[in-house]
Amino acid sequence: MALVFVGRPSGRLGEKRTAKEGRPTKTILIVLLLTLCLPSFAHAAEAAGKMVVPFWTALPFALLLGSIAVLPLIREHWWHQNRNKAIVSIGLSIPVVLYLLAINGESKGESTHQLVHELEEYSAFIILLTALYTISGGILLIGDIPARPRTNTLLLAIGAVLANFIGTTGASMVLIRPILRINLQREHKSHLPIFFIFIVSNTGGLLTPLGDPPLFLGFLQGVPFGWTLRLWPEWLLVNGALLITFYFWDTMAYRKETKKAMAHDAAVLHPLRLHGIGLNGVLLLGLMLSVLLSSDTAGKAIGQALGVGDLSIPNPWP
């Protein structure tokens, strides 16, 4: 856990720290200026009817990945400020936008067309994640039951299934708080959030485009909504192996608990209750239907089954 200090340090120590934290900004600005020069040397070509750009135009993306991986390690306090993350993200996007605009004539409008197309997909992607995060955050599962290994394993298994309906983001928002609360009295629990991230936040959402962001992007590219359902053997194998591993790991950790911790866990008991499911449940159902009906095949099939015709939702960006 990172510690964030609020306030402005005083004295020479504060001045040195401020100077050091200012260096990444200067370095990033220099890199951006160099990257901005690249479009003037770029030439787009066409092969088999598709626009082809030089391989080094992926440099801003590589720099962004490098920033995400390295800056938290070498400039932790600087990187934790959202303003600085925005500077890096927007700054590294500018060269790509300028390059695509610069070769618009040479590519016969294809470069700007692809830019707009990607912005449309990104908008749909962010809207879905924001909706899942906001709606699921309003659903609260409260209570405290004994933190036994079988209880934790069952909750993770439920999260793996739930992730396919409300997304890994939604399932994580709903279940992370009760799992942490249930295991609050335990002393050996550092493995819990790790397995939670593996199962609920990642591998659980494999079976539908709603489950995982990359699958939703594939759906936007034309992959049928039900195509991922055929991956249930792989889903079962991966999540089954993780759940079995977690159960034995958690069992060994549970045996290390002190009598005091186990007595405290047994003494603090409250039945599980679900709050906020009314309106938020309706909103989640509407969100899932909107994504499902975005598929022409699914929209026509559901409409025919209900006898009301085609229910598919047209693309707002033709």
Side-chain angles (χ1 to χ4, degrees), residues 139-147 151-152 155 173-186 189 192 264-265 268-275:
I139 300 176
L140 183 61
L141 179 63
I142 63 174
D144 195 347
I145 58 179
T151 302
N152 291 327
L155 288 173
M173 289 295 296
V174 172
L175 289 176
I176 185 60
R177 290 171 291 188
I179 285 182
L180 293 178
R181 188 182 301 110
I182 289 171
N183 292 273
L184 183 62
Q185 291 80 26
R186 287 182 52 174
K189 54 188 176 183
L192 286 173
H264 191 191
D265 180 55
V268 182
L269 295 178
H270 302 283
L272 294 178
R273 292 175 295 172
L274 199 59
H275 289 267

Side-chain angles (χ1 to χ4, degrees), residues 37 53 60 65 71 121 125 154 158 176 189 194 246 255 259 295 297 316:
C37 297
V53 295
L65 292 180
L71 287 180
E121 289 194 350
F125 171 73
L154 178 61
I158 292 174
I176 185 60
K189 54 188 176 183
I194 298 175
F246 170 78
R255 291 173 180 173
K259 294 182 179 180
S295 169
T297 304

